[in-house]
Amino acid sequence: MNEQDLKRAFQDVVVASSPPPSMDPGIALDRAHKARSKRRASITGAAVAVLVVGVGLGSAFALNPQGTKDHMMGAGQSSSSNPGLPDTQWGEKWPVGQSDRTATNGPQADRGTQLLELAKASVPAGYEAPDLKYTDPAMHGGMLRAQAQISSNKGESPEIWQYTAYVPVRKDGKVGRLTVTVTTPNPKDPVEPCALVTRSKGGADAGCKVHDVGGKQVGVVSSTTPGQNDATWASYRAANGWTVTVAQEEEYPYAGYPVLDRQPFFSPELAALAADPKFLLGS
């Protein structure tokens, strides 16, 4: 029963209960009884209808507040252009089994683990890659870790995956970091080596140098600001579109360990490491 039905029922009750014209007292009494019964039935029915609707909406709101709000405001259910990728509140769609952009199991997570093993094996002689813990109790998890993430995806094709390995590099009790990032083909990635490494490091390309590694062009940028964490980045884009960026730092940020005396690799060595085909993860 909607508002109009309730109003109409109330009007009928008013009409039915209006004083009747002069007639037999018995007939008048009988009609009065019928009008009162009808009025009670209408009011009871309306109350039950309101209660049922209220309970239904309350339950729905408890289970899905946003959906109930959208329904009451007149918004219909959204449809996904890719039913295999569930919608999130921002419109991104993640692969089945993922609640966000990070894969914690399956073939993509396995690639992240594979990259971590390759990065550990790349630490130069004289250094080690221990599975250290942060000294700061506010930091959680280990310093030796891997990650596999899909880019922010709203159903576009192709899917773009990024795999990252973080490796503590220790020598004489001092600890730096080696980071290897591998990305599947992305049409938006720059082809020019210095532009690629600039994008990868998220800063200016001042001092960028292109190294030739067996015919492969690798962009290398160093940051040696006094009093700051010295670091070097090397980026390479393979012919198949995959990109590899290797970064080395004298300090492992937020780890709380003494800083390395120097970076583990010289720039040409870091460039050669970035161009190593093993990092293309079997593409």
Side-chain angles (χ1 to χ4, degrees):
M1 174 178 291
N2 58 28
E3 183 180 352
Q4 292 299 324
D5 293 333
L6 183 60
K7 182 178 179 180
R8 194 175 297 112
F10 181 78
Q11 291 174 341
D12 290 342
V13 171
V14 172
V15 172
S17 58
S18 299
S22 178
M23 61 176 68
D24 187 316
I27 295 177
L29 182 60
D30 182 62
R31 289 185 176 180
H33 286 164
K34 289 182 179 180
R36 184 176 63 179
S37 297
K38 184 176 181 180
R39 180 170 66 252
R40 286 178 176 175
S42 299
I43 295 175
T44 301
V48 171
V50 171
L51 178 62
V52 170
V53 171
V55 170
L57 289 175
S59 300
F61 187 83
L63 295 174
N64 183 7
Q66 184 60 46
T68 305
K69 178 182 177 182
D70 291 343
H71 181 77
M72 294 181 69
M73 296 298 291
Q77 293 182 342
S78 62
S79 60
S80 171
S81 59
N82 187 342
L85 300 176
D87 291 334
T88 70
Q89 68 179 109
W90 303 113
E92 292 94 347
K93 303 168 181 30
W94 312 127
V96 173
Q98 290 183 209
S99 59
D100 57 26
R101 68 180 68 253
T102 302
T104 56
N105 54 62
Q108 303 298 345
D110 292 343
R111 275 182 165 175
T113 302
Q114 177 189 358
L115 179 61
L116 180 61
E117 294 302 316
L118 292 171
K120 286 172 54 181
S122 300
V123 172
Y127 295 84
E128 56 181 342
D131 188 5
L132 298 176
K133 304 297 182 183
Y134 290 95
T135 60
D136 185 344
M139 302 297 292
H140 301 285
M143 295 163 56
L144 181 67
R145 56 191 175 89
Q147 192 173 54
Q149 293 188 321
I150 191 172
S151 67
S152 178
N153 188 345
K154 297 185 178 181
E156 298 90 351
S157 181
E159 290 182 356
I160 300 168
W161 282 89
Q162 183 178 82
Y163 314 95
T164 308
Y166 303 92
V167 179
V169 180
R170 183 172 65 187
K171 183 177 183 179
D172 300 329
K174 301 175 181 179
V175 181
R177 183 170 70 175
L178 181 70
T179 305
V180 182
T181 303
V182 177
T183 305
T184 59
N186 182 350
K188 297 180 181 179
D189 279 339
V191 175
E192 201 278 321
C194 280
L196 180 62
V197 73
T198 297
R199 173 169 173 168
S200 299
K201 74 179 286 291
D205 64 350
C208 176
K209 182 178 179 180
V210 177
H211 291 258
D212 185 285
V213 181
K216 301 174 182 177
Q217 304 300 299
V218 182
V220 178
V221 172
S222 293
S223 172
T224 55
T225 303
Q228 295 188 13
N229 179 21
D230 287 352
T232 302
W233 296 261
S235 293
Y236 165 66
R237 186 178 189 276
N240 62 3
W242 284 61
T243 62
V244 178
T245 295
V246 180
Q248 61 176 352
E249 301 167 83
E250 292 182 359
E251 177 186 9
Y252 196 119
Y254 309 107
Y257 292 91
V259 178
L260 289 174
D261 294 328
R262 60 174 296 272
Q263 297 178 46
F265 297 95
F266 292 108
S267 292
E269 296 171 333
L270 197 69
L273 185 60
D276 194 324
K278 68 182 180 183
F279 289 132
L280 299 181
L281 303 179
S283 61

